[in-house]
Amino acid sequence: SQQGEEDPQALSIQEGENATMNCSYKTSINNLQWYRQNSGRGLVHLILIRSNEREKHSGRLRVTLDTSKKSSSLLITASRAADTASYFCATGISYKLSFGAGTTVTVRA
Amino acid sequence: DVKVTQSSRYLVKRTGEKVFLECVQDMDHENMFWYRQDPGLGLRLIYFSYDVKMKEKGDIPEGYSVSREKKERFSLILESASTNQTSMYLCASSGLNQPQHFGDGTRLSIL
């Protein structure tokens, strides 16, 4: 079953702008992960945030988690053409993850 | 770097055929997974394995079976392929309580 739901479904931005996407989920979680998928490729793990964390950074990525609202956001700052991809949030316990349908981000040059 | 290799990038088969999709990982991971990915539906878990010869059904196991005879290899089997099994199939592996690492996928068409 699909636990996470990303919003928006698609996003188009100019190179250099920031991109923000959101994920909402339904049940309690231990952690939440974000993955990226380039066209025709597999998913690549970006970042994991635990349920007791509110914010986490990795390079140009910033993830927030609000467990009271059951939501998370992924911010990509100073976007580049190489950030064009689909982004998925994933929730789950231990080894069994549930993925949302993803947000497709297009960065225009 | 972890490498998860799927045997074929593209595969075309006929209805009723028995289809094997192979996946190999090189990091001695305990866990391996098979997903299918369809537009608008995201990734759906078909089967996963947490050890050699151990398997558990995911969310959509009907029409599929799996085999894990060696730790590094996890096979997905379509016993009698049908057109509604046309999809992108993704294999992944992970260590205990670690993020999953994915292969590049097999785009399977059933005619």
Side-chain angles (χ1 to χ4, degrees), chain B:
Chain B
D1 267 359
V2 176
K3 193 158 180 65
V4 179
T5 304
Q6 294 185 231
S7 53
S8 305
R9 291 296 305 274
Y10 302 93
L11 206 53
V12 180
K13 296 291 181 181
R14 298 216 172 269
T15 305
E17 277 192 71
K18 191 169 186 175
V19 181
F20 293 85
L21 301 183
E22 307 285 346
C23 176
V24 177
Q25 51 98 358
D26 66 356
M27 281 303 292
D28 203 35
H29 283 163
E30 290 79 9
N31 304 318
M32 295 190 75
F33 310 82
W34 276 106
Y35 296 89
R36 65 177 281 176
Q37 183 178 25
D38 300 287
L41 296 179
L43 274 73
R44 292 180 291 168
L45 181 65
I46 304 171
Y47 266 99
F48 67 96
S49 169
Y50 51 89
D51 202 351
V52 175
K53 296 193 188 298
M54 306 304 289
K55 61 186 179 185
E56 281 201 27
K57 293 179 180 179
D59 298 318
I60 51 163
E62 296 79 20
Y64 303 95
S65 62
V66 290
S67 172
R68 193 165 180 200
E69 296 296 317
K70 293 185 178 180
K71 193 173 185 180
E72 68 270 19
R73 187 179 297 269
F74 193 34
S75 302
L76 179 70
I77 303 152
L78 286 65
E79 296 291 344
S80 178
S82 64
T83 54
N84 63 12
Q85 292 178 309
T86 290
S87 187
M88 168 73 97
Y89 289 87
L90 291 166
C91 175
S93 73
S94 75
L96 289 173
N97 298 316
Q98 296 298 311
Q100 294 184 20
H101 298 265
F102 285 80
D104 279 338
T106 295
R107 192 167 290 282
L108 175 64
S109 296
I110 307 295
L111 305 179

Side-chain angles (χ1 to χ4, degrees), chain A residues 32-104:
Chain A
L32 185 143
Q33 302 178 48
W34 285 92
Y35 287 79
R36 183 189 74 230
Q37 184 179 33
N38 292 93
S39 181
R41 305 299 297 272
L43 279 71
V44 174
H45 180 258
L46 294 177
I47 197 164
L48 180 151
I49 185 165
R50 302 191 189 285
S51 58
N52 61 354
E53 296 175 308
R54 291 295 167 258
E55 189 171 310
K56 201 160 181 181
H57 296 255
S58 176
R60 294 184 296 112
L61 305 179
R62 173 180 166 246
V63 169
T64 62
L65 180 63
D66 186 335
T67 53
S68 67
K69 294 181 179 177
K70 292 187 169 59
S71 68
S72 173
S73 68
L74 171 66
L75 168 69
I76 305 171
T77 60
S79 63
R80 305 167 181 169
D83 295 326
T84 293
S86 293
Y87 293 82
F88 298 86
C89 66
T91 59
I93 297 173
S94 186
Y95 45 76
K96 192 172 179 188
L97 295 181
S98 293
F99 291 82
T103 293
T104 299

